[in-house]
Amino acid sequence: MQRRQSSETPKQRLQVRSKNQTDLSAWRKGGRVDPEKSVQGHQSPKDQKNDSNQDSLEEALSYFEKVQNHVSLKKDHVLQKHLTTVESIGLQRGLPPEGFDVLLKVALSGKLADTVNTRLMKSLVPASVIPEDSVVSAVSLVCASKCSGNMQLLFIRWLITMFDFIDHKEQLHALYGFFFSFLQDEKMCPYVCHLLYLLTRKESVKPFRIRKLLDLQAKMGMQSHLQALLSLYKLFCPELVTITLPGKTKTYFKNSEGPWKAAINTVRRKNQENTPTFQPLFLGTVQPQSRKRKWNTQLMIPASSTNRTNSEEDRKKNCGDLHSTSESFPVEQLQTFSQLLQNMHRLEFPSQMGSVLTNPLLLHYMNCIKDESIYLRLYYWMGQTLQEECTWCVADNNQYEEEFKGFLETVYKTECFLQEGFPSCEEFLYKSLPLWDGVSCRSQILRLVSWIPLSSFSEMKSHLYDPLAQLFFTSSLYFKCSVLESLKELLQNWLNWHVVHLDSESDSQVHSLNTTLSGLVNTVAELIHFVGWISTIALRLENNTTFLLHFILDFYETVCDMYLRYNLPLLIMPPAGVFYHALLSMDSVNLNQLCYIMYRYRTNLVAAKENELSKKKILQFKFSNQTYQEYNQYIIAMVGCLWTSSVFQTDTHPQGLRMDEELLKKTAVQEFKNSFNIVYHPAMMGYATLFLQQAWPDDTTFNFSLIKGKKWNWYLEYLYAQGLEGLKVFIESSINRVSRTSRSKAENAQV
């Protein structure tokens, strides 16, 4: 839909005029036209400079349009002047759409030396869009072999870099066969594969093209660019591509952006400075969006990316015939969920895969239609973008950190929406974490860590655990807590994945499920052991801080319920360095949380033992005796500490609290046996004090020995009323006396 314009509304920047008129006024004004200033003739120095630039550019375009014979750059000062003008304006402000037809024709016509042609091609940076007709005309010149091989290669690289700036793509798709013919040139082959990858549709896949790619692979070996194109062909037509391709294909092409990347960034910054409040509709996007970086230009759906050559009447007809499958449904017309349902099998994804990330309807489509070609395109685009825009992996990218943060945030939200991690993000994290300082984009990186797909332990240890541990031990308390939170979410995402896939498996797939389940159990176990290891060391480094302990216990609150809540036959107890720090914590919240965790461990272990004895489960993973033994040791320590005041005599854990009585007497602590029960425990003394004040308001001696017998039970009820539910369920499940009392009260209430 075109926007109506009047003298009261700003013109869209760089409007394309009629063929016989080249009006650069909108471009000169940086996207604004003020009629009053035009009438009055009052111009600021900046406007005067823009006018001068416009005049110079018009002269340069006129010169290059009329140049006929081979001109020497060194001897012709006019050529030098106009070439410098094009370079200066193109690399600083970008060129208007009208300039591309002239400059592409002269650069690819062979009229000028390659030195001049190369400089012209490297200055072809758009201020807004590139007309498709100009590109098609340029392709015809390449087809006629008017230019040298080096210029042909440079043009293909330019076309790949500027692909998302081209206003239409339909005629380019029609030239697919021409581009394919260039694969026989070994020098151009990697870049042509990249361009074909961007242009490929299902109808592009033909048997003769597959045979040609296989012949090239046999000749050149397993090249990444050939493998990427074959993988895409196989996803579209698996019946035609019968060869086996590696499961983890690194579909990376050679970087084509080198000569233009810096200029694109400069143009975007300059345009935004000139129009701070005006958001141009680049590439026909459906809503305004910042366009400062190349990846950001792909975060919105370009309306022209899937445009057909149909008339407006045909388009309306297609929209009315919802069940027609002969025509694709234009993705820019997709506005509602009902439209998505009605046109599910007629949608064609945009060439700019980045635009999918911010469109919930297209993400719903990806969830419903498991089209692997879409995922492959998205993974490739995302992998390239992450690699090239990472602020700590690429030099001179630090100034774009805020933009990169926004991009990572968008990727994370997409993963949350799809409920799965992207392999390209996993690869990016594995490559970048060893170089990461733990500060740049901290929250975004740790969020992406929580969506890393399941991998083998050896791969995760070297690429994730080792670099993360180095940062963990040398960073702040806040960073340690953030890492623990991220690893907890990673564990939950793996467990949720297991539940979903377990429900979808049939009985006939028991063998394969056993293999998958075994791998999942091993990977999850290694993650838990890793967290236990870094948690133990972190507590020592941070002097057993309560804040850190809270995040550690949060992680184990997920671990203790894996068997019943997530149907995973695995339970791992926290290490002694975590358990005893929590048991002796000065904070009642952590002590209460530990009690709840031990209660859930007991519930899960009892259920596992019952299932093991009944032998009703087909998939039976028996817990080791060591797990039961460690749990029993912890329970004895907790009961002896909180209830029976005998922890120093009964604790049997090798790293426990057992001490000789003679040694305890040397501490000169009175009533040392009661030091950690629910009355004298440092985390509970505040409650005990408040209880004494309420029970004996006139007694100011705070005699804790009064809390015994019946008053002990009153004290318990007081603690439960304060919200210590974890303490309550632990005592009632693990201490027989209270359990019997509670049952008798319940029976009396029923009678």
Side-chain angles (χ1 to χ4, degrees):
M1 179 181 297
Q2 294 181 349
R3 292 191 173 190
R4 291 180 293 179
Q5 297 181 350
S6 67
S7 60
E8 298 178 355
T9 59
K11 289 184 180 180
Q12 179 178 336
R13 182 166 47 168
L14 295 174
Q15 293 293 328
V16 180
R17 309 295 290 181
S18 60
K19 293 182 179 179
N20 59 357
Q21 182 182 10
T22 302
D23 185 356
L24 305 181
S25 60
W27 168 83
R28 179 184 68 220
K29 298 295 185 183
R32 286 185 176 273
V33 177
D34 193 333
E36 296 182 2
K37 285 189 177 182
S38 299
V39 173
Q40 296 171 359
H42 296 298
Q43 290 186 321
S44 66
K46 184 177 181 180
D47 288 337
Q48 292 176 1
K49 182 179 179 181
N50 288 338
D51 286 343
S52 176
N53 287 338
Q54 180 211 10
D55 295 338
S56 299
L57 181 60
E58 288 178 343
E59 291 178 8
L61 293 178
S62 177
Y63 171 82
F64 285 116
E65 188 175 16
K66 296 176 182 178
V67 67
Q68 295 294 333
N69 301 322
H70 190 87
V71 182
S72 173
L73 179 62
K74 294 182 179 180
K75 298 180 180 180
D76 195 319
H77 297 290
V78 178
L79 174 59
Q80 295 178 14
K81 171 188 172 183
H82 293 313
L83 180 59
T84 302
T85 297
V86 172
E87 286 181 318
S88 175
I89 295 177
L91 299 179
Q92 293 298 322
R93 295 191 57 195
L95 297 171
E98 295 83 359
F100 285 91
D101 187 58
V102 174
L103 296 176
L104 280 172
K105 282 181 179 178
V106 71
L108 299 174
S109 63
K111 295 178 181 179
L112 302 176
D114 272 5
T115 305
V116 178
N117 295 332
T118 300
R119 290 174 62 179
L120 283 175
M121 285 298 303
K122 291 183 177 181
S123 66
L124 294 183
V125 177
S128 59
V129 296
I130 301 174
E132 184 187 27
D133 291 340
S134 301
V135 177
V136 173
S137 298
V139 172
S140 68
L141 291 173
V142 175
C143 183
S145 299
K146 294 282 188 179
C147 56
S148 65
N150 289 335
M151 287 306 301
Q152 290 178 344
L153 178 60
L154 188 62
F155 171 72
I156 296 296
R157 293 179 62 189
W158 176 85
L159 191 55
I160 294 169
T161 304
M162 303 301 171
F163 189 81
D164 295 326
F165 295 96
I166 302 174
D167 57 358
H168 297 270
K169 303 290 193 308
E170 196 57 36
Q171 295 182 57
L172 281 180
H173 283 290
L175 297 174
Y176 191 94
F178 162 72
F179 293 121
F180 193 89
S181 66
F182 272 102
L183 287 175
Q184 59 189 0
D185 189 320
E186 291 189 14
K187 191 175 180 181
M188 295 182 64
C189 185
Y191 299 103
V192 174
C193 283
H194 191 167
L195 181 58
L196 292 174
Y197 192 95
L198 297 173
L199 290 170
T200 297
R201 297 171 173 172
K202 186 172 183 179
E203 57 266 27
S204 307
V205 183
K206 305 293 183 182
F208 74 90
R209 288 175 179 157
I210 296 173
R211 289 195 296 270
K212 179 64 176 178
L213 290 176
L214 293 177
D215 291 343
L216 288 173
Q217 183 174 263
K219 178 182 177 182
M220 302 179 182
M222 184 64 77
Q223 301 294 325
S224 60
H225 49 274
L226 294 174
Q227 188 176 332
L229 197 53
L230 278 171
S231 299
L232 188 58
Y233 278 17
K234 186 168 186 176
L235 289 173
F236 278 127
C237 300
E239 71 281 0
L240 296 179
V241 184
T242 57
I243 66 169
T244 301
L245 295 170
K248 275 196 171 183
T249 305
K250 308 300 183 184
T251 55
Y252 290 118
F253 299 101
K254 291 185 178 180
N255 186 1
S256 304
E257 293 184 339
W260 301 278
K261 183 175 181 180
I264 291 174
N265 297 333
T266 301
V267 170
R268 295 202 184 287
R269 290 196 302 272
K270 178 73 73 173
N271 289 340
Q272 189 184 28
E273 291 171 1
N274 291 340
T275 56
T277 60
F278 176 67
Q279 294 289 344
L281 291 177
F282 279 90
L283 304 182
T285 51
V286 296
Q287 56 180 307
Q289 179 75 7
S290 172
R291 299 297 180 191
K292 290 186 283 186
R293 304 288 281 150
K294 185 182 181 226
W295 57 261
N296 213 16
T297 67
Q298 301 166 324
L299 293 182
M300 299 303 298
I301 299 180
S304 60
S305 61
T306 58
N307 279 358
R308 299 287 183 174
T309 55
N310 300 345
S311 65
E312 189 66 27
E313 290 77 11
D314 293 336
R315 193 170 294 172
K316 291 179 180 178
K317 180 180 177 182
N318 289 337
C319 293
D321 185 10
L322 297 176
H323 300 287
S324 171
T325 58
S326 59
E327 296 290 342
S328 64
F329 185 81
V331 71
E332 69 275 7
Q333 295 182 11
L334 184 64
Q335 301 294 333
T336 65
F337 192 74
S338 59
Q339 283 182 320
L340 174 65
L341 296 178
Q342 293 167 341
N343 298 278
M344 185 73 73
H345 299 289
R346 297 172 53 202
L347 282 179
E348 180 178 344
F349 262 54
S351 300
Q352 298 90 338
M353 287 305 298
S355 61
V356 177
L357 297 182
T358 54
N359 190 305
L361 294 175
L362 293 183
L363 293 177
H364 276 301
Y365 177 86
M366 290 180 64
N367 258 341
C368 297
I369 305 297
K370 297 300 182 181
D371 187 346
E372 293 189 12
S373 65
I374 295 175
Y375 282 90
L376 187 61
R377 286 179 181 272
L378 185 61
Y379 295 161
Y380 158 69
W381 171 84
M382 190 178 299
Q384 288 286 89
T385 305
L386 289 169
Q387 183 180 12
E388 294 168 5
E389 302 298 336
C390 178
T391 55
W392 59 89
C393 293
V394 181
D396 301 327
N397 266 9
N398 292 333
Q399 56 185 320
Y400 308 119
E401 181 173 341
E402 290 303 318
E403 299 170 31
F404 190 55
K405 281 183 181 179
F407 177 61
L408 295 180
E409 193 72 29
T410 301
V411 173
Y412 169 73
K413 290 178 180 177
T414 304
E415 290 182 324
C416 292
F417 188 98
L418 297 175
Q419 287 294 293
E420 62 178 309
F422 296 134
S424 50
C425 285
E426 176 189 15
E427 183 179 353
F428 162 71
L429 290 171
Y430 288 169
K431 287 183 177 180
S432 62
L433 281 178
L435 306 174
W436 186 41
D437 59 3
V439 178
S440 302
C441 308
R442 174 189 294 173
S443 61
Q444 291 77 21
I445 291 295
L446 292 180
R447 286 177 178 178
L448 291 180
V449 166
S450 67
W451 280 108
I452 290 179
L454 276 167
S455 305
S456 64
F457 171 70
S458 59
E459 184 175 9
M460 297 197 71
K461 182 180 185 302
S462 58
H463 292 102
L464 176 65
Y465 296 156
D466 289 349
L468 205 57
Q470 292 179 8
L471 288 169
F472 184 86
F473 295 137
T474 57
S475 297
S476 65
L477 171 63
Y478 176 78
F479 181 83
K480 292 181 175 68
C481 296
S482 299
V483 169
L484 290 169
E485 179 70 15
S486 177
L487 295 177
K488 182 194 75 172
E489 293 176 358
L490 175 63
L491 175 62
Q492 290 175 337
N493 289 332
W494 284 356
L495 295 174
N496 288 330
W497 176 90
H498 165 65
V499 171
V500 171
H501 285 73
L502 187 64
D503 292 341
S504 64
E505 296 289 344
S506 62
D507 293 337
S508 61
Q509 297 173 311
V510 168
H511 179 73
S512 62
L513 179 59
N514 268 319
T515 305
T516 305
L517 185 58
S518 176
L520 173 65
V521 167
N522 292 335
T523 305
V524 170
E526 295 297 343
L527 172 61
I528 297 172
H529 288 311
F530 172 73
V531 173
W533 172 63
I534 63 174
S535 298
T536 302
I537 298 176
L539 285 170
R540 297 174 184 171
L541 293 174
E542 300 294 341
N543 297 321
N544 306 326
T545 175
T546 298
F547 187 64
L548 176 63
L549 185 58
H550 170 73
F551 283 89
I552 296 173
L553 293 179
D554 268 356
F555 179 84
Y556 281 99
E557 195 167 324
T558 299
V559 174
C560 69
D561 235 356
M562 291 190 301
Y563 183 75
L564 289 179
R565 186 173 181 181
Y566 299 100
N567 203 16
L568 186 72
L570 177 68
L571 280 179
I572 297 176
M573 304 301 298
V578 170
F579 171 79
Y580 283 103
H581 278 118
L583 180 59
L584 305 179
S585 173
M586 302 285 288
D587 183 74
S588 60
V589 174
N590 287 335
L591 181 62
N592 181 67
Q593 192 173 10
L594 176 65
C595 290
Y596 176 78
I597 289 172
M598 296 306 295
Y599 160 71
R600 292 307 303 171
Y601 269 120
R602 181 184 188 278
T603 305
N604 280 257
L605 287 170
V606 169
K609 179 62 72 174
E610 291 175 351
N611 288 334
E612 182 180 336
L613 294 175
S614 64
K615 297 182 180 179
K616 292 181 180 180
K617 296 287 183 180
I618 298 176
L619 300 174
Q620 194 58 243
F621 283 74
K622 295 183 179 180
F623 293 164
S624 66
N625 291 331
Q626 181 182 356
T627 302
Y628 291 104
Q629 180 182 357
E630 196 169 10
Y631 168 79
N632 289 333
Q633 289 175 334
Y634 285 166
I635 284 295
I636 292 172
M638 285 190 70
V639 173
C641 181
L642 300 176
W643 192 262
T644 63
S645 301
S646 59
V647 64
F648 298 118
Q649 294 78 35
T650 59
D651 193 351
T652 59
H653 195 281
Q655 301 178 44
L657 301 176
R658 187 182 185 92
M659 297 184 190
D660 293 334
E661 188 168 346
E662 294 299 324
L663 179 61
L664 290 169
K665 289 179 179 179
K666 292 180 181 179
T667 62
V669 176
Q670 296 181 357
E671 301 292 337
F672 59 82
K673 292 184 178 180
N674 301 329
S675 296
F676 294 103
N677 66 22
I678 58 174
V679 175
Y680 292 91
H681 195 290
M684 307 300 293
M685 287 187 70
Y687 291 106
T689 301
L690 292 174
F691 174 75
L692 288 174
Q693 288 178 340
Q694 294 182 22
W696 295 276
D698 298 330
D699 188 354
T700 59
T701 60
F702 296 107
N703 186 2
F704 293 112
S705 62
L706 295 175
I707 304 177
K708 59 183 178 180
K710 186 180 292 187
K711 296 180 180 62
W712 178 277
N713 293 333
W714 293 354
Y715 177 59
L716 281 179
E717 296 298 329
Y718 172 79
L719 293 178
Y720 300 160
Q722 303 307 307
L724 299 177
E725 291 296 326
L727 180 67
K728 178 181 179 181
V729 294
F730 170 76
I731 291 177
E732 293 187 351
S733 64
S734 301
I735 299 174
N736 292 331
R737 174 188 171 188
V738 178
S739 297
R740 287 195 299 269
T741 304
S742 299
R743 285 196 296 269
S744 64
K745 287 183 179 179
E747 291 172 358
N748 294 334
Q750 292 176 357
V751 174

